[in-house]
């Protein structure tokens, strides 16, 4: 952590005592958490009901209450729609006295929720949405991007693939904010490493047929097929690429890949593939122990978004316990001045722009011969420090940061 970060953290710590004095006790005598994510669509396996279960685990591990105040969870389906998500968020803040909103997968939906939370001056944490806009142009004082960002994944996977000879790319990109930013961030990494981007094609979220899009990729002559999509879209597009024989001439690269995707596709299809993650189920003994607890109920290992849901909820509840209030300004000040240490992240500092500074890991899929079990799917290639993955605060275009600096000058 650099000196400016330390100074900022110290300032928050000093401000915290002032906030706490005026914050008051827990409002409504209930700590109410809301969770809005894709519960039934293309992203449901990556977060969805499993993410809700992870948050319930966090609530149970917190004892179900803090200082006698019950912890409640509201869950709703975003349907991957920004208008649905913002309407749900507004209703919960207005009628349910919501204290914390956690947004799952789908960046457009989570950005819409973030805007409502900022208007209501309530904490919003996104665990499954990766758009870099959360800590840049659309950052707010009340938003935390907890798990990963498109920029971080691009700097891991994109650089590794170019370094191994994949110097010409064609992107198959989900046609909304998340896909656009993932393609943009990876393209920048590819070009900076001396590679070329030969083209791209935009695909609808939840597309039923990828054949015409993959034909364009094949005709590009690129060495690498960059799959700027996620979960079911990633699985279905890669299956189609294999069926079409495209993988004989192009190397597919999943830019937002989870071990759940690898498990679904099988090692025969994915062996040798590089992918970058913020967390994996056996990253450390604590992670493995938690993952096995999770799997005892769900029947499979968790994704990094689901682990992030648990960690984010726990960090918030710790803040409430330590401050004795659910006052949003007090909670945000506490979270940004106290590192998170759990099975998900070590010394995870939440930066002024809302970025959780967690290291990423570059993985490579094992061959069938290397695997010793159904979830023994990867080997570690490299650790990517948070500062390398996300860049310094000076690179952020966050207007909140700029306004803050202006008021201090």
């Amino acid at each position: 952590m650099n000196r400016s970060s330390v100074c900022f953290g110290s300032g928050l710590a000093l401000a915290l005592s002032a906030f706490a004095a005026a914050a008051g006790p827990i409002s409504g005598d209930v700590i109410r958490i809301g969770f809005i994510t894709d519960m039934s669509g293309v992203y449901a396996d990556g977060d969805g009901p499993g993410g809700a279960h992870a948050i319930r685990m966090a609530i149970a591990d917190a004892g179900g209450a803090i200082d006698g105040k019950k912890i409640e969870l509201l869950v709703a389906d975003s349907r991957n729609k920004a208008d649905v998500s913002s309407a749900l968020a507004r209703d919960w803040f207005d009628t349910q006295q919501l204290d914390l909103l956690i947004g799952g997968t789908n960046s457009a939906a989570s950005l819409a929720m973030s805007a409502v939370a900022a208007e209501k001056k309530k904490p919003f944490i996104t665990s499954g949405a990766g758009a870099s806009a959360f800590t840049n142009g659309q950052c707010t004082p009340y938003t935390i991007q907890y798990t990963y960002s498109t920029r971080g994944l691009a700097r891991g996977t994109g650089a590794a693939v170019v370094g191994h000879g994949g110097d010409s790319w064609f992107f198959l990109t989900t046609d909304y904010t998340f896909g656009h930013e993932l393609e943009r961030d990876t393209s920048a990494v590819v070009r900076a490493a001396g590679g070329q981007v030969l083209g791209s094609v935009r695909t609808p979220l939840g597309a039923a047929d990828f054949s015409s899009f993959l034909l364009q990729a094949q005709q590009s002559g690129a060495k690498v097929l960059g799959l700027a999509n996620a979960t079911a879209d990633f699985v279905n597009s890669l299956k189609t690429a294999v069926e079409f024989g495209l993988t004989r001439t192009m190397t597919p690269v999943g830019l937002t890949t989870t071990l759940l995707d690898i498990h679904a596709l099988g090692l025969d299809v994915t062996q040798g593939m590089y992918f970058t993650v913020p967390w994996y189920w056996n990253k450390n003994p604590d992670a493995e122990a938690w993952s096995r607890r999770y799997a005892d109920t769900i029947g499979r290992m968790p994704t990094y978004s689901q682990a992030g849901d648990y960690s984010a909820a726990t960090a918030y509840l710790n803040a409430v316990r330590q401050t004795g209030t659910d006052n949003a300004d007090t909670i945000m000040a506490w979270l940004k001045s106290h590192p998170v240490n759990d099975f998900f992240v070590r010394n995870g500092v939440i930066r002024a722009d809302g970025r959780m500074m967690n290291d990423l890991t570059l993985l490579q899929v094992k061959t069938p011969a290397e695997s010793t079990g159904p979830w023994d799917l990867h080997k570690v290639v490299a650790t990517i420090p948070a500062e390398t993955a996300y860049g310094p605060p000076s690179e952020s275009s966050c207007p909140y940061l700029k306004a803050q600096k202006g008021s201090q000058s």
Side-chain angles (χ1 to χ4, degrees):
M1 196 188 312
N2 61 37
R3 188 174 184 274
S4 62
S5 298
V6 173
C7 291
F8 181 79
S10 299
L12 278 173
L14 290 172
L16 182 59
S17 59
F19 280 133
I26 292 169
S27 59
D29 289 337
V30 175
I31 302 159
R32 191 166 285 120
I33 299 172
F35 181 51
I36 301 175
T37 192
D38 179 6
M39 298 294 289
S40 57
V42 66
Y43 293 150
D45 282 346
D47 195 27
H53 174 66
I55 296 172
R56 290 189 182 101
M57 287 176 66
I59 292 171
D61 289 348
I66 294 175
D67 294 334
K69 313 302 183 184
K70 185 180 177 182
I71 306 166
E72 294 182 353
L73 176 65
L74 305 178
V75 178
D77 190 346
S78 71
R79 294 163 51 196
N80 287 313
K81 295 182 181 295
D83 57 345
V84 170
S85 300
S86 62
L88 283 166
R90 188 174 299 279
D91 177 65
W92 284 356
F93 284 127
D94 288 345
T95 68
Q96 300 296 320
Q97 290 187 293
L98 195 69
D99 296 304
L100 165 69
L101 179 59
I102 299 176
T105 47
N106 193 300
S107 291
S110 279
L111 284 167
M113 288 186 272
S114 172
V116 175
E119 177 190 330
K120 301 297 182 180
K121 297 184 178 181
K122 293 289 187 177
F124 173 75
I125 303 176
T126 178
S127 174
S132 297
F134 286 104
T135 56
N136 285 283
Q138 297 186 56
C139 76
T140 86
Y142 297 97
T143 293
I144 296 170
Q145 188 175 36
Y146 201 85
T147 306
Y148 75 102
S149 76
T150 54
R151 179 177 182 175
L153 298 185
R155 288 190 171 187
T157 307
V161 173
V162 175
H164 285 79
D167 55 5
S168 60
W169 289 59
F170 185 95
F171 288 94
L172 189 77
T173 302
T174 300
D175 193 12
Y176 80 106
T177 307
F178 161 73
H180 301 169
E181 292 203 4
L182 189 54
E183 178 188 329
R184 181 202 65 199
D185 291 342
T186 308
S187 296
V189 170
V190 169
R191 293 187 177 109
Q196 295 177 294
V197 176
L198 301 184
S200 66
V201 62
R202 302 286 170 83
T203 67
L205 181 65
D209 183 4
F210 288 93
S211 55
S212 62
F213 306 121
L214 290 168
L215 180 61
Q216 294 181 56
Q218 193 171 40
Q219 292 172 341
S220 72
K223 296 178 183 177
V224 176
L225 174 64
L227 297 171
N229 51 19
T231 59
D233 278 346
F234 167 74
V235 170
N236 293 333
S237 60
L238 185 52
K239 280 183 177 177
T240 305
V242 172
E243 290 168 3
F244 274 48
L246 187 145
T247 54
R248 290 196 292 268
T249 57
M250 298 182 77
T251 299
V253 173
L255 297 171
T256 313
T257 304
T258 71
L259 289 172
L260 184 61
D261 303 328
I262 304 302
H263 186 268
L265 287 162
L267 298 183
D268 286 334
V269 172
T270 57
Q271 59 184 303
M273 180 183 291
Y274 291 98
F275 63 111
T276 302
V277 297
W279 179 89
Y280 49 95
W281 72 271
N282 57 350
K283 183 175 183 179
N284 54 56
D286 289 342
E288 182 168 353
W290 182 85
S291 297
R292 293 194 182 280
R293 281 179 56 208
Y294 175 96
D296 284 344
T297 300
I298 299 298
R300 59 170 174 77
M301 292 302 175
T303 65
Y304 52 72
S305 292
Q306 290 156 348
D309 290 328
Y310 176 99
S311 180
T314 299
Y316 173 81
L317 293 173
N318 285 341
V320 173
R321 189 182 304 277
Q322 293 300 317
T323 61
T325 182
D326 57 4
N327 175 271
D329 292 311
T330 303
I331 293 297
M332 292 304 295
W334 195 93
L335 287 171
K336 290 183 178 181
S337 58
H338 291 76
V340 176
N341 282 287
D342 61 12
F343 73 85
F344 181 79
V345 60
R346 295 285 189 255
N347 197 35
V349 174
I350 298 172
R351 210 164 58 179
D353 60 359
R355 173 69 253 164
M356 163 60 84
M357 297 299 286
N358 55 321
D359 295 344
L360 304 181
T361 307
L362 178 65
L363 303 177
Q364 186 177 26
V365 180
K366 288 185 173 182
T367 66
E370 291 173 318
S371 176
T372 60
W375 292 99
D376 181 28
L377 305 172
H378 67 274
K379 48 193 174 186
V380 175
V381 177
T383 297
I384 305 161
E387 290 76 11
T388 300
Y390 303 118
S394 60
E395 293 180 3
S396 173
S397 59
C398 173
Y400 162 61
L401 271 190
K402 292 181 178 179
Q404 187 178 65
K405 289 176 181 176
S407 66
Q408 293 173 347
S409 61

Coordinates of all heavy atoms in Angstrom, one line a residue, residues 200-230:
S200 N -14.1 -8.0 -34.4 CA -15.0 -8.5 -33.4 C -16.4 -8.5 -33.9 O -16.8 -7.9 -34.9 CB -15.0 -7.5 -32.2 OG -15.5 -6.2 -32.5
V201 N -17.3 -9.3 -33.1 CA -18.7 -9.4 -33.5 C -19.4 -9.4 -32.2 O -19.0 -9.9 -31.2 CB -19.0 -10.6 -34.3 CG1 -18.7 -11.9 -33.5 CG2 -20.4 -10.7 -34.7
R202 N -20.6 -8.6 -32.1 CA -21.4 -8.5 -30.9 C -22.5 -9.5 -31.0 O -23.2 -9.7 -32.0 CB -22.0 -7.1 -30.8 CG -20.9 -6.0 -30.8 CD -20.1 -6.0 -29.5 NE -19.0 -5.1 -29.5 CZ -19.0 -3.8 -29.3 NH1 -20.1 -3.2 -29.1 NH2 -17.8 -3.2 -29.2
T203 N -22.7 -10.2 -29.8 CA -23.8 -11.2 -29.8 C -24.8 -10.9 -28.7 O -24.4 -10.3 -27.6 CB -23.1 -12.6 -29.4 OG1 -22.6 -12.6 -28.1 CG2 -22.0 -12.9 -30.4
P204 N -26.1 -11.2 -28.9 CA -27.1 -10.9 -27.8 C -26.8 -11.8 -26.6 O -26.3 -12.9 -26.6 CB -28.4 -11.4 -28.5 CG -28.1 -11.5 -29.9 CD -26.6 -11.9 -30.1
L205 N -27.1 -11.2 -25.4 CA -27.0 -12.0 -24.2 C -28.0 -13.1 -24.2 O -29.1 -13.0 -24.6 CB -27.4 -11.1 -23.0 CG -27.3 -11.7 -21.6 CD1 -25.9 -12.0 -21.2 CD2 -27.9 -10.7 -20.6
G206 N -27.4 -14.3 -23.9 CA -28.3 -15.5 -24.0 C -28.6 -16.0 -25.4 O -29.6 -16.6 -25.6
A207 N -27.7 -15.7 -26.3 CA -27.9 -16.1 -27.7 C -28.1 -17.7 -27.8 O -27.4 -18.4 -27.2 CB -26.7 -15.7 -28.6
A208 N -29.0 -18.0 -28.7 CA -29.3 -19.5 -28.9 C -28.4 -20.1 -29.9 O -28.2 -21.3 -29.9 CB -30.8 -19.6 -29.3
D209 N -27.9 -19.3 -30.8 CA -27.1 -19.9 -31.9 C -25.9 -19.0 -32.2 O -26.1 -17.8 -32.5 CB -28.0 -20.0 -33.2 CG -27.3 -20.6 -34.4 OD1 -26.1 -21.0 -34.2 OD2 -27.9 -20.6 -35.5
F210 N -24.7 -19.5 -32.1 CA -23.5 -18.7 -32.3 C -22.8 -19.0 -33.6 O -21.8 -18.5 -33.9 CB -22.5 -19.1 -31.1 CG -22.9 -18.5 -29.8 CD1 -23.6 -19.2 -28.9 CD2 -22.5 -17.2 -29.5 CE1 -23.9 -18.7 -27.6 CE2 -22.8 -16.7 -28.2 CZ -23.5 -17.4 -27.3
S211 N -23.5 -19.8 -34.5 CA -22.8 -20.3 -35.7 C -22.4 -19.2 -36.6 O -21.3 -19.2 -37.1 CB -23.7 -21.3 -36.4 OG -24.9 -20.8 -36.7
S212 N -23.3 -18.2 -36.9 CA -23.0 -17.2 -37.8 C -21.9 -16.3 -37.3 O -21.0 -15.8 -38.0 CB -24.2 -16.4 -38.2 OG -24.7 -15.7 -37.0
F213 N -21.9 -16.1 -36.0 CA -20.8 -15.2 -35.3 C -19.5 -15.9 -35.4 O -18.5 -15.2 -35.7 CB -21.2 -14.9 -33.9 CG -22.6 -14.4 -33.7 CD1 -23.5 -15.0 -32.9 CD2 -22.9 -13.2 -34.3 CE1 -24.8 -14.5 -32.7 CE2 -24.2 -12.6 -34.1 CZ -25.1 -13.3 -33.3
L214 N -19.5 -17.2 -35.2 CA -18.2 -17.9 -35.3 C -17.6 -18.0 -36.7 O -16.4 -18.1 -36.9 CB -18.4 -19.3 -34.6 CG -18.6 -19.3 -33.1 CD1 -19.0 -20.6 -32.6 CD2 -17.3 -18.8 -32.4
L215 N -18.5 -18.0 -37.7 CA -18.1 -18.0 -39.1 C -17.3 -16.7 -39.3 O -16.2 -16.8 -40.0 CB -19.3 -18.1 -40.0 CG -18.9 -18.1 -41.5 CD1 -18.1 -19.3 -41.9 CD2 -20.2 -18.1 -42.3
Q216 N -17.7 -15.6 -38.8 CA -17.0 -14.4 -39.0 C -15.6 -14.4 -38.3 O -14.6 -13.9 -38.9 CB -17.8 -13.2 -38.4 CG -19.1 -12.9 -39.1 CD -19.9 -11.7 -38.5 OE1 -19.3 -10.6 -38.4 NE2 -21.1 -12.0 -38.1
A217 N -15.6 -15.0 -37.1 CA -14.3 -15.2 -36.4 C -13.4 -16.0 -37.3 O -12.2 -15.7 -37.4 CB -14.6 -15.8 -35.1
Q218 N -13.9 -17.1 -37.8 CA -13.0 -18.0 -38.6 C -12.4 -17.3 -39.8 O -11.3 -17.5 -40.2 CB -13.8 -19.2 -39.0 CG -13.0 -20.4 -39.6 CD -13.9 -21.6 -39.7 OE1 -15.0 -21.6 -40.2 NE2 -13.3 -22.8 -39.4
Q219 N -13.3 -16.5 -40.5 CA -12.8 -15.8 -41.7 C -11.8 -14.7 -41.4 O -11.2 -14.2 -42.3 CB -14.1 -15.2 -42.4 CG -15.0 -16.3 -43.0 CD -16.3 -15.7 -43.5 OE1 -16.7 -14.6 -43.1 NE2 -17.0 -16.5 -44.3
S220 N -11.7 -14.3 -40.2 CA -10.8 -13.2 -39.8 C -9.3 -13.6 -40.0 O -8.4 -12.7 -40.1 CB -11.0 -12.7 -38.4 OG -10.5 -13.7 -37.4
G221 N -9.0 -14.9 -39.8 CA -7.6 -15.3 -39.9 C -6.9 -15.1 -38.6 O -5.6 -15.3 -38.5
A222 N -7.6 -14.7 -37.5 CA -6.9 -14.5 -36.2 C -6.5 -15.8 -35.6 O -7.1 -16.9 -35.8 CB -7.8 -13.7 -35.3
K223 N -5.4 -15.7 -34.8 CA -5.0 -16.9 -34.1 C -5.8 -17.2 -32.8 O -6.0 -18.4 -32.4 CB -3.5 -16.7 -33.6 CG -2.5 -16.6 -34.7 CD -1.1 -16.4 -34.1 CE -0.1 -16.2 -35.2 NZ 1.3 -15.9 -34.6
V224 N -6.4 -16.2 -32.2 CA -7.1 -16.3 -30.9 C -8.5 -15.9 -31.1 O -8.8 -14.8 -31.6 CB -6.4 -15.4 -29.9 CG1 -7.1 -15.4 -28.5 CG2 -4.9 -15.8 -29.7
L225 N -9.4 -16.7 -30.5 CA -10.8 -16.3 -30.4 C -11.0 -15.9 -28.9 O -11.1 -16.7 -28.0 CB -11.7 -17.5 -30.7 CG -13.2 -17.4 -30.4 CD1 -13.8 -16.3 -31.4 CD2 -13.9 -18.7 -30.6
G226 N -11.2 -14.5 -28.8 CA -11.4 -14.0 -27.4 C -12.9 -14.0 -27.1 O -13.6 -13.3 -27.7
L227 N -13.2 -14.8 -26.1 CA -14.7 -14.9 -25.8 C -15.0 -13.9 -24.6 O -14.8 -14.2 -23.5 CB -14.9 -16.4 -25.3 CG -14.7 -17.4 -26.4 CD1 -14.8 -18.8 -25.9 CD2 -15.7 -17.2 -27.6
A228 N -15.4 -12.8 -25.0 CA -15.8 -11.7 -24.1 C -17.2 -11.9 -23.7 O -18.1 -11.0 -23.9 CB -15.5 -10.3 -24.7
N229 N -17.5 -13.0 -23.0 CA -18.8 -13.3 -22.5 C -18.6 -14.1 -21.2 O -17.5 -14.2 -20.7 CB -19.6 -14.1 -23.5 CG -18.8 -15.3 -24.1 OD1 -17.9 -15.8 -23.5 ND2 -19.3 -15.8 -25.2
A230 N -19.7 -14.7 -20.7 CA -19.5 -15.4 -19.4 C -20.6 -16.5 -19.2 O -21.6 -16.5 -19.9 CB -19.6 -14.3 -18.2

